[in-house]
Amino acid sequence: MTSETDHSHGAHGLGEAVAARVERRWATLSIVIVGVLVGLAAFFGIYHTTMPQGRVETADPTTLHLSGEFVESNLGSALEADGSVTVRAIGQQYSFTPQCLVVPAETPITIRATSADVVHGFLIEGTNINTMLVPGYVSDLPIRFKTPGEHMMPCQEFCGIGHQGMWGKVKVVDQTAFRNMAASKRRLTCVD
Ligand code: CUA
């Protein structure tokens, strides 16, 4: 809109008034949209922090090694009666235990992991597994690998001075090989 427009001349002035009205309407609408989005973000943010999650499993980080599911002898991969596999692991500054997880291909797998000290990241490259290991809580993740192979498993959450050296590995082997291994050992790992 230019200042030299003559406001006293009918058609021009009217056209400008209409344009101004439309523009104001759009401006109002965009402010309303921003307001609604901010309101929604605030509502759901507050709602989710005040409502408990559907399922929360806890594990005392100070007694992980002494009793319960995450004692050292129970870590690694376990073949369940229904043919599925449960993998249990711990993250601590600055490694994973076990450092190498071995799992069968084409098999439903549940990974259960927690932290013994601070928050660590848990990511398996080439899969959609990407979560955090929070001390006090159990992360429970379903996964299935299509083919045998190896995946890197870095800690992707800064956890201290040795963070960048915190890496693990997942080795996917074929079903028969896994079953053969499981026949002679209760908990399997690929740690040499
Ligand atoms: Cu553990 Cu970064």
Side-chain angles (χ1 to χ4, degrees):
M1 253 157 279
T2 52
S3 55
E4 67 255 34
T5 311
D6 188 355
H7 289 265
S8 62
H9 285 296
H12 251 117
L14 191 66
E16 203 168 286
V18 170
R21 187 148 32 87
V22 170
E23 213 163 294
R24 218 174 297 123
R25 204 179 293 157
W26 278 111
T28 311
L29 184 63
S30 58
I31 289 166
V32 167
I33 290 171
V34 169
V36 167
L37 291 176
V38 168
L40 280 174
F43 172 76
F44 285 109
I46 293 164
Y47 181 81
H48 283 297
T49 50
T50 52
M51 295 293 146
Q53 282 172 278
R55 200 179 109 218
V56 174
E57 285 183 273
T58 57
D60 184 350
T62 60
T63 57
L64 284 183
H65 58 299
L66 298 176
S67 63
E69 187 181 346
F70 294 95
V71 291
E72 193 155 7
S73 59
N74 202 35
L75 299 179
S77 307
L79 181 61
E80 306 291 353
D82 65 1
S84 70
V85 169
T86 306
V87 184
R88 293 183 181 85
I90 287 179
Q92 67 273 302
Q93 288 166 320
Y94 296 99
S95 61
F96 294 100
T97 309
Q99 194 82 294
C100 183
L101 310 178
V102 62
V103 294
E106 288 298 343
T107 304
I109 295 161
T110 304
I111 297 175
R112 291 175 60 76
T114 187
S115 166
D117 40 41
V118 300
V119 174
H120 294 281
F122 187 88
L123 180 149
I124 302 176
E125 285 182 349
T127 72
N128 63 357
I129 295 286
N130 183 353
T131 189
M132 283 190 285
L133 306 184
V134 182
Y137 297 91
V138 178
S139 299
D140 187 282
L141 309 152
I143 187 170
R144 191 184 180 104
F145 292 92
K146 281 203 178 75
T147 51
E150 285 196 358
H151 301 257
M152 294 311 285
M153 190 178 83
C155 172
Q156 94 294 22
E157 186 74 33
F158 183 77
C159 53
I161 197 91
H163 159 73
Q164 79 280 5
M166 187 169 170
W167 287 78
K169 200 167 74 176
V170 178
K171 195 172 165 189
V172 186
V173 298
D174 76 69
Q175 271 183 345
T176 323
F178 186 88
R179 275 166 194 280
N180 289 342
M181 289 160 75
S184 60
K185 231 173 151 200
R186 206 176 123 261
R187 297 290 178 265
L188 300 171
T189 74
C190 41
V191 178
D192 316 310

